Amino acid sequence: MVDTGDMTGTRISLSNEMMLDPRGESFKEMKAYAETALPNLYEPHDGGALDKNHDNWTKELLFATKNDLDDNFSKERLEYYYELAKSVLRDKADSLDEKERKSNSRSQENGTAKNTPNPLYLGLAVGGLLVGGTGLLVGRIVVAAAGLAAAAIGGSVLYKKQNNK
């Protein structure tokens, strides 16, 4: 979606990525790529309050902030959303780290090559294709766009990592 200039799909994929992987590394890579390809990625901040009190940070606030990004995709709101997701979804991030450690441990025990694709990006690409295809089949353009955007971004990151670009 980034490569075709699909602003809506790119924005949706970025906000979805923090829900998929709240550790934030894949999000930062996707964001950097989108920023270089889409100079108008961000809108001016609408002045909406961004609660900095960590005691108030809940899943409800996280989802509300994600929805607010649909109406105002500002750099300030996206950075706030990033920090909010990392905090609220800390348990999920820890779980992903643990799964990755176990997977790497098994790979080393089995002698699996280190150059295998990152399962997170591979999952994003494949999952995005499935969601996008399903959205097309049932006539839900927004779902199709979001899925295909995720597939495009995941595939782009995989391609760049595999080719050391």
Side-chain angles (χ1 to χ4, degrees):
M1 293 293 150
V2 172
D3 293 333
T4 63
D6 180 356
M7 194 73 69
T8 302
T10 299
R11 289 172 174 170
I12 290 170
S13 291
L14 279 169
S15 65
N16 285 344
E17 182 59 23
M18 280 308 292
M19 293 290 191
L20 294 170
D21 185 357
R23 295 174 296 180
E25 292 305 312
S26 55
F27 169 83
K28 287 191 288 189
E29 290 178 20
M30 290 169 60
K31 184 178 100 159
Y33 181 65
E35 287 172 340
T36 60
L38 300 170
N40 297 327
L41 179 64
Y42 300 110
E43 300 170 321
H45 187 63
D46 63 5
L50 305 173
D51 188 348
K52 302 290 183 170
N53 183 349
H54 289 232
D55 292 338
N56 297 332
W57 287 12
T58 63
K59 284 188 179 180
E60 291 77 20
L61 179 61
L62 177 65
F63 291 119
T65 302
K66 184 178 186 317
N67 288 336
D68 289 344
L69 282 167
D70 292 341
D71 296 325
N72 180 236
F73 199 86
S74 67
K75 190 169 193 164
E76 297 85 353
R77 182 167 278 117
L78 186 64
E79 288 299 319
Y80 173 71
Y81 173 71
Y82 168 81
E83 294 299 330
L84 182 61
K86 283 184 67 108
S87 176
V88 171
L89 301 174
R90 168 65 25 220
D91 290 342
K92 181 176 182 178
D94 291 343
S95 174
L96 289 170
D97 281 338
E98 183 62 26
K99 286 179 186 177
E100 198 168 272
R101 274 191 294 278
K102 287 180 181 177
S103 176
N104 288 341
S105 175
R106 280 192 296 266
S107 294
Q108 289 175 355
E109 290 170 6
N110 296 333
T112 305
K114 289 183 180 179
N115 204 15
T116 57
N118 183 317
L120 295 171
Y121 298 119
L122 186 59
L124 181 63
V126 173
L129 286 173
L130 292 172
V131 169
T134 302
L136 288 173
L137 287 173
V138 298
R140 300 286 186 210
I141 300 302
V142 173
V143 172
L148 295 175
I153 292 172
S156 295
V157 173
L158 275 174
Y159 178 79
K160 287 176 188 279
K161 284 190 173 290
Q162 291 295 90
N163 292 299
N164 295 321
K165 290 187 177 175

